[in-house]
Amino acid sequence: MREGMIPTVLGTVVTASSAAFLGSRYKIAATGILGFGIAHIVLGAIDLFEHR
């Protein structure tokens, strides 16, 4: 498996699940978790492009 694939997939799952909570009463927590998900996607994508 390519290096960076796991953080990218994990970030996608975390981002999608936190986006579902944006409409709930936990909006601040969902926004923070959304940021962590996006960070995982960005860092995983950097690893994917760096280790071709």
Side-chain angles (χ1 to χ4, degrees):
M1 184 177 285
R2 291 180 59 184
E3 188 174 344
M5 185 63 75
I6 292 174
T8 305
V9 171
L10 178 68
T12 304
V13 170
V14 169
T15 302
S17 63
S18 66
F21 284 107
L22 283 176
S24 71
R25 66 181 194 172
Y26 303 112
K27 186 173 182 154
I28 294 174
T31 304
I33 295 170
L34 183 73
F36 281 112
I38 292 172
H40 274 87
I41 292 172
V42 169
L43 293 174
I46 289 170
D47 275 346
L48 283 172
F49 288 119
E50 202 172 79
H51 296 105
R52 283 188 175 182

